[in-house]
Amino acid sequence: MRVVRKLDELKLIIANYRKESPGKKIGFVPTMGALHKGHLSLLNIAAESCELLICSIFVNPTQFNDSEDLLKYPRTIEEDIKLLEKTSCNILYQPFEEEIYPSRDKKYEIDLEGLDLILEGKFRPGHFDGVAMVVERFFEIVCPDRAFFGEKDFQQLAIIRKMNNIRGLNIDIIGCPIVRSEEGLALSSRNSRLSSSELKDALHIINTLKLGKELSSNSTDAGLILNQMIEYFEKGNLKLEYLEIVDGNDLSPVKEIDDNSYCCVAAYCGDIRLIDNMKLK
Ligand code: AMP
């Protein structure tokens, strides 16, 4: 695996690859590092349909609405490189911030048609502008055929699909299933900051989602099911931000649960914010 830090070097490698390997696909997996099995699963899925795999590691400052969170975000580049060496990843792009954001004052404009204002957007203002901006910038640099994102960040995936459509980029955006710990906790770089008792407390999220799924096998009344889920959730040690049942395409709240309904949740475990989701049927 080649580690590339300079934008010009990456562009040259990609241009040469395109010239020398017509018809071959470039797959791209953007990450913020502190890699775990969730990230590695994206690379494995990408390897099934792409010949050249590029992974990026960049802790994107513009998507953090909380400066403390940005400061504390885990950074483990040496371990990350070791993990990537064991995958099919061909290139790790680890850019310098100045090359991702050459003109810091230039305002990024995109109309995400409100998709950025619901769920996560209510609690993390500006977060999805930062996400769309950095992913669009990476797409411009890497020009991948396919890009792979985890369903763990369900709303992010929807936002990236929308940005890709709005900008007419024609990149295949592939959603990949959530990877969980044996106990069911959705893997996240932030989990490394949980104490052992918090790791146990955090399982209340998956247990609540499982309850929702179970209840949905007997009823389609989203309001009723949400009430029971919230009542159950409040018995745990976590602080709920939101728990909503939404349509899988536009993320609007649903009244009647159907085959495309998802329950999305965000909660604090101590001072670590966790998100998760589950398809209910
Ligand atoms: P991050 O480094 O947290 O920005 O995540 C990089 C990519 O990995 C995003 O597309 C995430 O949705 C995905 N990802 C993170 N955690 C998981 C997980 N547990 N299962 C599947 N994908 C994940």
Side-chain angles (χ1 to χ4, degrees):
M1 184 186 69
R2 192 157 162 182
V3 181
V4 177
R5 301 228 51 192
K6 296 288 294 172
L7 189 149
D8 284 347
E9 188 189 346
L10 183 70
K11 282 196 164 172
L12 193 64
I13 296 171
I14 292 170
N16 285 338
Y17 185 79
R18 289 284 187 210
K19 222 185 299 159
E20 287 159 14
S21 314
K24 298 265 163 82
K25 299 244 181 288
I26 297 182
F28 179 48
V29 177
T31 82
M32 296 206 296
L35 301 182
H36 50 67
K37 286 184 181 149
H39 297 114
L40 303 184
S41 77
L42 304 190
L43 284 159
N44 287 336
I45 293 170
E48 288 169 16
S49 64
C50 299
E51 285 82 12
L52 186 76
L53 292 194
I54 303 177
C55 173
S56 64
I57 294 184
F58 178 63
V59 181
N60 173 34
T62 65
Q63 73 186 69
F64 284 81
N65 50 317
D66 174 350
S67 52
E68 185 83 349
D69 191 25
L70 171 61
L71 216 62
K72 288 190 175 159
Y73 198 83
R75 290 160 172 88
T76 58
I77 190 69
E78 276 160 29
E79 286 91 331
D80 290 350
I81 292 175
K82 281 190 201 135
L83 283 175
L84 286 174
E85 297 275 14
K86 293 188 200 142
T87 70
S88 316
C89 182
N90 302 103
I91 298 169
L92 164 61
Y93 179 41
Q94 193 206 343
F96 295 104
E97 193 178 323
E98 312 84 82
E99 290 198 312
I100 295 298
Y101 296 121
S103 38
R104 253 307 203 162
D105 308 330
K106 209 170 130 208
K107 198 166 161 12
Y108 180 74
E109 302 220 14
I110 189 162
D111 180 2
L112 294 164
E113 295 163 1
L115 194 57
D116 53 329
L117 304 177
I118 55 177
L119 299 166
E120 287 292 286
K122 277 193 217 157
F123 296 90
R124 305 187 69 186
H127 168 65
F128 287 120
D129 275 341
V131 169
M133 172 160 64
V134 79
V135 174
E136 186 174 346
R137 178 75 178 127
F138 273 117
F139 281 0
E140 182 187 306
I141 297 167
V142 176
C143 300
D145 298 288
R146 303 210 159 124
F148 299 80
F149 295 87
E151 286 170 358
K152 150 106 182 350
D153 298 280
F154 198 67
Q155 189 173 6
Q156 169 172 286
L157 178 58
I159 297 262
I160 286 158
R161 286 192 201 285
K162 188 172 272 287
M163 179 275 283
N164 186 50
N165 287 340
I166 291 172
R167 303 296 201 224
L169 301 179
N170 268 327
I171 295 167
D172 276 344
I173 307 294
I174 317 286
C176 306
I178 302 177
V179 177
R180 299 179 177 281
S181 71
E182 262 174 45
E183 295 87 358
L185 179 64
L187 298 189
S188 161
S189 304
R190 289 189 167 86
N191 293 355
S192 64
R193 295 180 50 214
L194 296 172
S195 68
S196 53
S197 69
E198 285 172 337
L199 275 168
K200 285 199 191 102
D201 290 343
L203 295 177
H204 203 53
I205 295 179
I206 182 66
N207 292 336
T208 306
L209 290 172
K210 280 184 183 157
L211 172 69
K213 195 175 171 81
E214 196 184 305
L215 294 170
S216 307
S217 61
N218 293 320
S219 164
T220 58
D221 186 335
L224 202 78
I225 289 173
L226 272 180
N227 284 342
Q228 291 182 61
M229 288 176 81
I230 290 170
E231 194 180 315
Y232 175 78
F233 190 87
E234 282 169 354
K235 291 180 185 150
N237 288 328
L238 309 181
K239 195 169 140 270
L240 188 62
E241 273 206 333
Y242 64 79
L243 181 74
E244 290 190 39
I245 297 177
V246 300
D247 176 78
N249 292 329
D250 64 11
L251 308 191
S252 62
V254 297
K255 289 200 169 104
E256 287 287 314
I257 293 172
D258 65 22
D259 288 349
N260 195 28
S261 300
Y262 288 75
C263 183
C264 296
V265 56
Y268 274 93
C269 183
D271 60 355
I272 311 297
R273 189 171 183 279
L274 300 174
I275 60 170
D276 201 347
N277 67 83
M278 187 176 274
K279 195 169 194 278
L280 291 177
K281 277 191 185 289

